[in-house]
Each structure stands twice: as structure tokens, then as C-alpha cells.
Amino acid sequence: MSNKYVSYEPTRSMIYVDCADEDSRIKLQYWLYRTHIPDSISQFGPYVTKYAFYNALPVPPDGERFGTIKMQLTEHNWMVNHLDPRTLNKILTEVMPPEVLVWQNNMPASALNGGNMDGDDFRKTTGGNVPFIFAHVPLWWEDDVKGKERTINDGPNYRWNFCISYPKSDLYPIENGDKWLFEEVFPVFEKMPECTRIVSSKVIKDINECPMDRMVEMWFDGPTNWHKCIEACASVKKPEWAQTDVFPYLKPYYNIIGAFVTDYPTSDNLTQYHGYITMR
Amino acid sequence: MSNKYVSYEPTRSMIYVDCADEDSRIKLQYWLYRTHIPDSISQFGPYVTKYAFYNALPVPPDGERFGTIKMQLTEHNWMVNHLDPRTLNKILTEVMPPEVLVWQNNMPASALNGGNMDGDDFRKTTGGNVPFIFAHVPLWWEDDVKGKERTINDGPNYRWNFCISYPKSDLYPIENGDKWLFEEVFPVFEKMPECTRIVSSKVIKDINECPMDRMVEMWFDGPTNWHKCIEACASVKKPEWAQTDVFPYLKPYYNIIGAFVTDYPTSDNLTQYHGYITMR
Amino acid sequence: MSNKYVSYEPTRSMIYVDCADEDSRIKLQYWLYRTHIPDSISQFGPYVTKYAFYNALPVPPDGERFGTIKMQLTEHNWMVNHLDPRTLNKILTEVMPPEVLVWQNNMPASALNGGNMDGDDFRKTTGGNVPFIFAHVPLWWEDDVKGKERTINDGPNYRWNFCISYPKSDLYPIENGDKWLFEEVFPVFEKMPECTRIVSSKVIKDINECPMDRMVEMWFDGPTNWHKCIEACASVKKPEWAQTDVFPYLKPYYNIIGAFVTDYPTSDNLTQYHGYITMR
Amino acid sequence: MSNKYVSYEPTRSMIYVDCADEDSRIKLQYWLYRTHIPDSISQFGPYVTKYAFYNALPVPPDGERFGTIKMQLTEHNWMVNHLDPRTLNKILTEVMPPEVLVWQNNMPASALNGGNMDGDDFRKTTGGNVPFIFAHVPLWWEDDVKGKERTINDGPNYRWNFCISYPKSDLYPIENGDKWLFEEVFPVFEKMPECTRIVSSKVIKDINECPMDRMVEMWFDGPTNWHKCIEACASVKKPEWAQTDVFPYLKPYYNIIGAFVTDYPTSDNLTQYHGYITMR
Amino acid sequence: MSNKYVSYEPTRSMIYVDCADEDSRIKLQYWLYRTHIPDSISQFGPYVTKYAFYNALPVPPDGERFGTIKMQLTEHNWMVNHLDPRTLNKILTEVMPPEVLVWQNNMPASALNGGNMDGDDFRKTTGGNVPFIFAHVPLWWEDDVKGKERTINDGPNYRWNFCISYPKSDLYPIENGDKWLFEEVFPVFEKMPECTRIVSSKVIKDINECPMDRMVEMWFDGPTNWHKCIEACASVKKPEWAQTDVFPYLKPYYNIIGAFVTDYPTSDNLTQYHGYITMR
Amino acid sequence: MSNKYVSYEPTRSMIYVDCADEDSRIKLQYWLYRTHIPDSISQFGPYVTKYAFYNALPVPPDGERFGTIKMQLTEHNWMVNHLDPRTLNKILTEVMPPEVLVWQNNMPASALNGGNMDGDDFRKTTGGNVPFIFAHVPLWWEDDVKGKERTINDGPNYRWNFCISYPKSDLYPIENGDKWLFEEVFPVFEKMPECTRIVSSKVIKDINECPMDRMVEMWFDGPTNWHKCIEACASVKKPEWAQTDVFPYLKPYYNIIGAFVTDYPTSDNLTQYHGYITMR
């Protein structure tokens, strides 16, 4: 804050967008593509270098246990800390009807009380349903655990991108959780040929006080092989801080949340958006 | 055919692309976006004015009974008859591995026997599973049955685009089917406020000997209201040529096939495709 | 109408959009760019090859006498007759609040009575103010009267694009008007070096029963030289059907309407529109 | 300067481009769009993230008193200090005929003496007419005074973007001016419902020794309401350093200069420019 | 010509652009990309659906004997006969300095006599050097002689696109030439595995009185294999109308002219041109 | 490295891509445009602001003596040090078949031993042929030696971009080389009107341990005038560290390597790439 200029602090962020039910899906899509994309680009275009939506693939069997969301993964690549106090005056507030939080399953419909919301408040709302998770990581993955040699010629990837928040306390510091993840969990996946890629980064928590601790991405060639791998995880040691009785021992949507997506963005908004041109 | 030049014959076509299972989905998407879009534009770019993909929304309850497909609707707007014999020499054959037909659920995996396929043959293949339906209609809808005044401001539309092939015989000419559709079926939907729009066109069958007779599009505000409408259709008179005991009385995927999509294309390929740029 | 397919009938059209007052200008622009461009492209994208807006330059001294409009010239290049009865079913009606007609000065504010309008009705409305003029001409100019050799290297052009409707009656057929224009008016401009270009076409009146008879475009290097030319026109013979006492002897906005624009479109919508991205 | 690399110092700048007379307007536009946009992008494309032109709306009644310019506002968003000595070697000098300064009303035609100009010299020229004002501010507004909750759904905005240079002396430091602006002027606008938005930033003067001290943006719904607000300013206390007898008590074009523009850029050059494609 | 509207007559054309010497190459490129692309799109954008430049690959050994040009192949896909008399009035004449004809090797420098040229005259000029060949063929190849099954996955193609004008007389009608080509020449290439593809079409001569009779495209995997094939052609029967003693028995640049290009256009102008943005 | 975030360190880099023979050219182009452009943008899109290919012009007479390459110059403009250890984890390894190194003439075909390569290893390979030179310089030229006033209106530029590695030893430090270049070599070119522009920068060697010391760009109006200039260099003093007997006294491709290119990029990949759309 003592510098004259906002610093160059490149990060990448993921928002895990859920969908309350199938009637909400098209309402959410209508708002996202018709209203929100242009609203967003108008505001952050000059300091964002990637802004993409990845439609969530259908939730695979047992996916809910891992906090799998149903709408989309929203990616931003930021050149600055977009929550630096010096960046918060926006000439136009985003159009953020609170219904969006209901459609996204962040808030029950019963909590609606009208009015537009401020975008930054919006993203902090936790209304009792699936929390709104907005996690920042460095622009490049920190830990490359498996599959470094994979190229796009090796075939399509069924990507499982998820975040974990370890149950923390004085007894169980965050390092504890990471130790369990790297020494108990990853080795199971490393042994399975069905898992083709593992990378991970620590979440940069101070930008927005994100509750999540770590982002992980694992790849498979489809849901069948993903399921084989999580079956193999039955052997993973239950940690002392386990919240549930079965792997991943974490409270879904609160302590683990993720999405299954493909390699190709549904909409790479900065290069592909040309207005809300509809089907005739 | 006697003219020196290929004629201007503007049509619009829809391909109803199914997906054999969830492991096939990302394989199909990889081929469609990485290989097929550039292949297609290379070939028909100069005589196609719209080429768009619309991801199929999740199949709603009872959707299978109506032949609902799970992958996407592929739309082309053609300026000429692209199957006119004078247009069939293509400098490059499309990359069409027969596996695509398996992923699309048009052919059982057991039928695979290697080799690349010619695109036009590909599209005629009927391997025993969901037929490959490629239906042409005029560029503009012929029949505007309900909801002419609707604008995009009225909210998002849960679009049900489907094709019907009436069981035909000497006893039951095609006009019979249309009479039933317009006089028995549409009136039920016209009465239901849950249905906001109905349009329809005759399929132009002679272009590719398409088995379907008619394309219909109906709009709702979501799957719940769609279901209310088809429940109301229990009252629709069973036609003499009924193939099944319940509405729509047609053999799913063979005599009725359709998709649920939104207003916004997932990829409007001629304007939005910029190469297969993947998630980092 | 007897053909199976809609015919290839390439035309170019101009709409002369006025602006009631300066408070209306930004309202009109907001609707045009935020709502109407995507609405329009959604509908006619597959059969329009150019869709451009040219901001009207400030009305020069004496410009009102020539029916000079203040908002913009809207150009379309159509591949078909977009008013052929077979093309009139549109899946979405354009968002056309009648206030637009007030902002465009086609209708007094007092005439407003709510509701959305059908786009085609909209364009036929004549509410007592400046008529809504929508004139079609062939895709290429028919008459090249002066300046054929001019290139873009010769400098910017102050383009005066206007339409004339000759007062017609049994006594004064349309040929009469053209004779006066080509033999009395054009020669004055041909002699003036200040006028660098003259082209003209007959309006194709049967598409939309357009009241205008002829479209003309004349170029100058700015308003000063345009004014010198119209001063020289004081010598033009007053025709028998004169509606006013001074050149051009036509009722402004009704029998002559036009705009001053530059060479470069303000928005070449099919290639330049990327959504309503606003100033931060 | 002691660092090895040029620093990340994101700023936003505005150039207030006037127009000497209506004959100059199209000459200026021809140079800006045909020559200057590609020249500029060739040079600064890799370190500019927004480069947009906003056509000035017509000068409202009494606008000249506030130094209102008539051509356009030119916006750049810079990632670095583009006047850092290490950035000044440019492979191609911009095409900058001194006539441009005459068309822009920065210099009388009588001062022309041929030759091309260096772009950076060009921008420092003060030839006795309207000064060339090029003001840098932080990428985000510093002071959000009124209307924080406004969204683009609230309607179009008649934006008044202007800069002030307070008359400075030993007696009247810059803080004096700001005190007057925030305590005497803004409160009048804050009370008027006709003014919907007020934001402001200090000009970063050291980049190019800009004479202006502060940039302000105020929004209205049109010129009528803007005028009501400046009428209300008759009550604003005349500051000790007043240069004129009426509000804003500043020498127009020298100590106050501004433009009225809309929300939508006329040309968002980095995304919308596709070459100088002209009207046919 | 008796129709009211210009007809839909889709064709594809190739211009074989040579280069007088290496000093001319960059002059020609500067004019083509800086001046000619925008000039052309301004004019024919609404009725051309493909406009691409393919840089000529280096002339292989013995390439001159086959009339190989050194600059580029220019492709247009037209929707109408662009030389129909009704299409000839162009609002702006293309910037066509006669030097271009010298750089293109169509005219000796000594023939220069100043002034701009009309584009259509330009294209008819035959100044004694390499003729300006502008050949139209149907939008789809008429004869598919070899390699129909080839896909883009089979590797890059060294494309030899050329035109032939058979020496014609009462004794030797055009059918004679085609008989020789299809029965004597093609079979040699069909037997050689080094040739992977052969297609051909008759030139539509009446559009612009093109001297060429037939366009052929043959593919190889590089110049070495091309040369092997033309060596094998030593066995081709010398036709009665032979102009030279060695295969192809035709006067290079006059009776045979061609280019070697790759699959990928150097510039697909309608989608890839964004102005003349230069290297910094 | 002690900072939390990767720093903003803007650089520009050039890769000098040679071509082993004409059969390799199209193989290299196929890989570059079909596979490598999308691979690259997927990876570095968010931190690269320019990524362009410039086709090498034909090697002029005596060009080999100066280490002239035959394929292309590849330019990147980086916002960060892309070899900072924190940036090296890439989700997908680039598709880098070692054959590419053979086609690029960096490695003899005999050295091929299969497998894909890691992109960063790839770029360090020196297989005995032309070294792979990848040189970084500041985003702006450091030394402006001649021709500062040149604009794009002055005509096309035959650009000679090259790098020098001075033979270094205890006796001959790098300053020695620069002294010779600035005091012996540049003055010859400065005196020749045939040379229109000279700029230069020190190579930032520590990013990738680049062997080159300095990048220079000189402009001419074509190869004839370039040759006149190098003829004049016969008078340049032979330095003590000369590796050869004639100017430039450096071992070609090892101690001097360069390319002749034009002003206009063959492909400005971030703005112009739309997928591998081929010639029909």
C-alpha cells in the first residue's frame, strides 16, 4: 500500500459455480452470458489476461461426496490483486440480482430480499447452502506430482479440479493436512495408471480470506477411470481430523469442492465473446 | 442440374448428436473441437453462413421417451444444396474415425472395423443404435403457431427442438400425421401458459433422403414446465398409427428425436472459433 | 413465390435515422448498441453480408432544408428479399419499445401507448414527424455520374447520401423527376470542382413500398464546399411540381431526406461488434 | 531507473481532442482511423491493454464555458510509464503531419511549417489555441463521491469527463483547489438528483508534466439535466483564485477542459479495429 | 442480363502473382497488405466469401519450365459474376499504381507512364512479360482424379496449382488438349506414389475472356518428389501442338503458369486481417 | 526469487528458425501452424502480449556468410521471465517431435532417436548443425543509431535482424566487441544512404544463458542495397579476434545469425490465428 502504483501480482483464480436445480440452469446461463460477461469485461478487461468459463460435466456416480458442482468453473488470470483497496472503486456496479445466488445454490430462495448486490459482497455471501468458493493460486502450478510428459496429442483429459480446506485447529495445523495429502493420498493416484496427471498449488488465502487451503487438479480419461481411482482410495489412512467416515473424509462443498471439466473452455470470453447472439 | 452454376437454395439443418455414455463425451468433444471444426470450415466456409454447436441440456425426467439426445445440436445454414452432385468433390476428406459413430451412439463398438470414413457416408450410417439424423428445413420457420410476440427480454428459453417421422403407409399418408400434430397435439400446448412458443417446418426430405417429416421447436422456462405440458398431453388422441401406448406414440430416437438447448450457442463456430486453445 | 427456395436477390438498404433532441441521442444509442445489434444479428446474420452504422455528422448550415437527419445511417446488404412472405416468421421478435420512435423523431411523445412493437410494423410507422425511411437499392450503384477515378488516397470524403421522392401525379410521372435531376441538377454539381463524386440508383420500391424514388450520393471535402455547391444550385430550374420556393424545391424529410457521413463506418457490426463493453 | 527492467506502473490516460471547425473533422478522422490507429498499435500494442476512442457528443448550451472539446476522448491503459527514458526508442516514428495540430485546434494554420513531427514532441505542442491535454490517472478511480450503486441496467449515461488545473501560486496551493472542489462544488451536484454519479482522481503529473491537477467524471441522463446542475452551481462560492466571474471560475480549455461522451466507445481499437474498411 | 437482380453464380478464382526480382518483393507486399487488402474488402466484402493469399514457395529446380511464379496465389470465392456489367460501378477505384505491374513482372519498367489505373483494366494488362492470369473455376472441383481419401492428418501437402492453355487452332480443338492431359499425362502421375492427389476443373473462360483452358492441382510431399514425377513425364507422348521439345511442351508463363503453395493460407483476409500492424 | 509473486520483467525475444532443405519447409510449417501455435497460446497466452511469425525472405547473395536463416523469425513479448523456476510447471508439455529439430537444421537426421521432447530442453539442443538461437532483449531498443525519423509512409523496409556473439576470452572482453561494432562497423552503414535505419540492444544473457551478445536491426529498401552496404564493409578493420578473413569476421550461424524479413508479420498469432483452416 505504500507504493505509488498497484503491484504486478499475477494470479489465477477459480470460482466453483453450482446450480440449484435444472430450472435454474438456463436462468444462470442467461445472466452469465447476456449480462455478466460484458459487465465483467467492461470492468476488469485492462488487468485480466484470461477469463474463461468451463461447463461442468455431469456429476459422476459418488461425485457429490467430493463436493462436485454442476454449473461451471470460472477462471480469471489477474495481473494485480483485484481486491487491493486501491482497485475497489468501480465506475459501474455489476448487475448482481440476489436470485443469482439462489440459482447458484449459494443461498436458499427464502433468503431473497430484493435489490442489486455489490459484486464483491456478492462473492462473500454464504447463505447456508453451497458456499461461494473463489480460490486464487499462482499463475503457474507449484507442485507437479505426476504426468509431466503428457501432451495434447495423448487424448482428451477428464479434468478434476478441486479445492480442499483441511479442518484446522491448534492440534492440526495446515501442514498436517498437506502431509496427509502428499504422503497418503497422492501415492494411491500415482500408482494407478488410470490417473494421468496430478498438479497442485497452495491457495493464496490472504487475497480474499478464502477458506480453502489447496487446489489440486487430477486427470483421467473419463468418469469410469476416475471412479476406479477413488475406489482404490478406500485404503487411504483416515486422518485424525476426519469429518466423515469415508474418503475423502471431508465435508462436501465446505471442505472439498470441485468440478469435472474438459480441456477446452466453453467460452474463452476475452477472445470468443461477440455479444449475446442467439439461436434463430 | 441443367444450370451452369449451382443454385442458391438456402436451408438450415440440424444434426441431433447423441452420446453413448459419459466416457465417450470428452472423446467426442475432443474430436469435434480439435479436428472437426477446422476440417469443416476448411471445406464449406465459403457457402455456409452459420455453423453452431448447442450443448444438449441434461435429459429431463421422461426425456428418453421423446428420443432426447445427450451431446449436442449441430446447426448449419447452407447457401446451396451441399449434396448437389456438383459439390461432392472435396479436396480433403474429413477426418472421420468410425469410433466417432460409436461415441455418438450411432453404432455399437462391436461394429468397428477401422479406417477413415468419407464424411457423407458417415452421415448416412445407421448401425442399429440411435440413427444419425440430419434434417434440413427452410432458413425461416414455416409455421408460427404460438408466442410470436416473445422477445429476448422476456427471459431465457428452454428450447425443445425435435423432429418427427410419422409411421407412413398407404393407409396413413404424411398429411395424416400433420393433421394429428396441428389439430390434436399443438392445441394442448397452446392452452398451457407453461409453453411459450411453438414453431414448425416441414423437413426438406429430398436433399439427403431424411427419414424425418417435420421439425418442431417449443419453448418453456425450464424442465419442470416442460414436464407439466407433456403430462397434459396424456389427453392427446392416440393416432391410428401409434407405435407405443403413451404420448407421443412414436418410437423414440427413430420416429421422434430431439434435444433441449438454450438460446445461446455453445460455439458459434464461424465467429468464435480461434483454434483448440486449452485450459492451462 | 412459386419457387421452392427464396431467391438470391442481393440489395443494399439505407435507413435514415433522425434524433428528436440531444436528450434522446444517448437513449437511442444505448438501445441500438446494447439491445438492437445483437437482436438483429441473431435474426438476419445468415442472410446479411454487411450491417453497418454511420454516425451522422453535424447538420451543416441550411442542412435542414435538405431533410438532413441527425443520428445515423444504417446500412444492410441483403442476400434475399427480407420481406418475402416466406421470411417473416422470426423466432424472436426484436425488442422495439415505441419510445425508440419518439427518440428517432418518427412519432411525437404524445403518441406513446406502451407495449413492444413488431419490427416490421415499427419500420412502417409514420407518426406525423420525420418519416421512417428505409430505402433499398441494387448492391452496386446504377449511375456513375462524376468522379469515377477517385481513390481512397485522394483524401477523406464528406459524403452526402440522400433520397428523393418526386411529387407524383398523372401530370408528373417519375421520369419527369429523373429528367430534372439528371439534366438540371447534376450538371451544376458536375461543373463545380468542389463536388468530387456523384452516383445514383433507382430505389427498388416494391420491396417495402418505399415512398422514395431515387438514392443519390455526392461527395465533397467538407461542409464549406458542400454549401458552395448548393448555393450554385440557386440557378437550377424550378420544376413544375415544386413544393417549396427554393432549391431543392422538395418538402424536407418527406420528399428529400439525407445524411452527411464519412467513409469509415462507426460500427461495421458483423465484424466489429464484441458485446456492449462500456467505458470503465 | 536503477532497475534492470521497466516497472509495472499501470495508468489510464485521457487525451481531450478538439476540432478546429467542421471542415477539419473528417480530415482528422481519416488520419486517426486510417493512419494513426495502426501506427499506434504497431508501437505500443505489447504494453497497452486498452486503447479506445469516444466521439464527443455535441457541445451542449454553455458547454464552451467549461472547455468542452468537439472531437473525441482518446483513452489508453498503460502497463508501464510510456515516457520512461528507456522506452523512447521507437522503431518507426508515428506519421504526425503538423496539420493534425491545426485540425485539432491546438495550433493556428498560420503556424504550419511542414515536415513530420515526432509523436512525443507533437503531444507537447502548445501553439496558442486549445492546449493538447494528455492526463494520466491511476487505473482505478481514487474518489467515489456519488452513485456507487449504479449499474448499466439503470440506463445510458451522459458522461462528463473533465480535467481541472487550479490557478496555483504561493498563496494558493493545490490543496486549496481540491478543498474548494470537494467542499463547495461536489456538494451541489450531490444534492441534485439530476447528477447520478461523481468520481475523481488526482492527475499523475510527473509522467508528462501535465498542467492539469485533477480528473473528474460526472454523469447525467442528458444535456438538459446537466444544464440544470450547472445552473445550480451559480451558488458555488467564488474562490479567491477565480479566473472568471462565473462558475466554474476557470479559464476554459486552459484550466478546465472536458468532453461529453456516452458509455459505449466509438472504437475499442485493440478489439474492434480490422483495417480501414470503407463504405462502398 | 434480363433479370432484375444479379444472379447467384458462385465461382472461385486464382490469380498467379509473379515477382520481377527480389527488390520488388517487399514493395509488392507493402502495397498488397497495406493498401490493397482494405481497398478490396471495402469493395467486394458483401459478395465474396473467401479472399486469401498463399505465399509461393521457392521455385523448385526446373520450376521455370512450368511457368512457376514467385510471389503468391490470390484466391477469391465470388457469389456473383463480378464482371457482370451491372456490378462495375465502384464507389472508389482501387489504388493501383502501374508500378505494381512492374513488380509483378507483368510489364517492363520501361513501360511505366504514371497515373493510377482502373482495377479491371489493370487485370487485363499484358505488357510483354509474364501475363496477368486470373482464372475462374466452379466453387467445387469438377474432376477428382486421384487421392480422394486423403485427410489433413496424412501430413502437409506440397500443392502444385497450375493452369494450362492448350495451343488451339482449327486442327487442334480444346478437347484434344484435355484428351492428352487425361489420357497421357495424368496416368503417369497416377502411377507414381509420390503424387498424392490430382483434381482439375475447366476454366470458366467467358467471365473475363481468360486465355487459360484448365486448372489442375497436384499434391506431393515436397519438391523432391515433385521432381521425381516430372522426370517420369519424360515418357509422356509429345502432342502434335507441342510448343517446346520437353514436357510439358507448353510455353511457360503463357501456356502453363502455376505456383507451389502449402495447405495453410498466408493470409485469410476476411477473417485474419486486422490492419497493417507492423513489427516494432 | 524471494518475492511472493513472479516479477514484471518485460522482454522481447527472437528465435532464428532455419530450414534444413525445401522438403522440410512444409513439414515445419505444418507443425508450427497446426500444432505449435495452439499449444503455445494455451500455455503462455496469459503472460505474453505479442507472439508473431515473420517468414524469412529468400537468402540474398552472400547471405550465408552472415548466418542467414531460411524459415522464420519467431517473436515473443513476455511480461515475466518465462524461465523463472516458479514458471516451469506446465500442465501440458508441448508437442515437440525431435524431427522438428532436423527440419529446423539444428540437428542431423542421424541423431533422431524418437520420443517427444520437453519444450525447454528442445530449445537448448545444439546438435552440431545451426544452433538454436533464442535471444532476449528489452521490450524497447536500447541504442538508436540511425534513421530515427523514419515513418511507415517512407516505404517498405527490408529488415535485417541479426545477433552477434563476439569471440570472447580473457584478452577480448565483450566491451571490445561492442567498441568495434559501434566505432568500426556502424559508421560505414551510417554513411551509406542505402541503409535507412540502425538500432541495437544488448542481449539479456542470463534468462537462458544465450550465447549471443547483441541484437542489431538494420533496414534497407531491398537486397541490392543491402549488398552495396556489405561491399562497403570490406573497409572495416579486421578485429584481433577475427574468426574468418572477410567481413563480418565471424563464424556464420554460430557467432552471427540473422534473418531478412519485412515489416508485416506473416502471422500475428494472438490476434490473427483462427485455427488451422486450410485451402479447399
Side-chain angles (χ1 to χ4, degrees), chain A residues 60-103:
Chain A
D62 291 317
E64 288 83 359
R65 207 171 85 211
F66 296 83
T68 303
I69 52 87
K70 293 182 289 295
M71 187 71 199
Q72 69 175 35
L73 208 52
T74 298
E75 180 188 13
H76 299 82
N77 288 197
W78 307 93
M79 289 195 288
V80 300
N81 176 349
H82 62 102
L83 293 170
D84 180 297
R86 290 167 297 179
T87 71
L88 299 181
N89 287 334
K90 287 158 191 166
I91 197 74
L92 281 163
T93 284
E94 300 159 82
V95 176
M96 283 285 187
E99 283 80 2
V100 172
L101 290 169
V102 177
W103 303 332

Side-chain angles (χ1 to χ4, degrees), chain E residues 4 11 25 46 51 70 73 77 89 100 108 133 138 165 170-172 174 186 201 222 248 260-262:
Chain E
K4 185 170 171 187
T11 60
R25 186 182 295 277
Y51 172 38
K70 293 183 289 296
L73 209 52
N77 288 195
N89 288 334
V100 172
I133 296 300
S165 168
D170 291 347
L171 286 172
Y172 315 130
I174 190 166
F186 285 169
S201 290
F260 291 92
V261 299
T262 67

Side-chain angles (χ1 to χ4, degrees), chain C residues 4 7 14 43-44 89 104 116-117 123 143-144 159 161 165 170 174 186 219 223 273 280:
Chain C
K4 183 168 171 188
S7 306
M14 292 291 174
Q43 183 183 105
F44 61 53
N89 287 336
Q104 291 186 168
N116 193 55
M117 297 188 72
R123 294 190 187 88
D143 301 293
D144 192 329
R159 295 182 172 210
N161 181 296
S165 168
D170 292 347
I174 189 167
F186 286 169
W219 296 359
Y273 190 67
R280 295 176 64 224

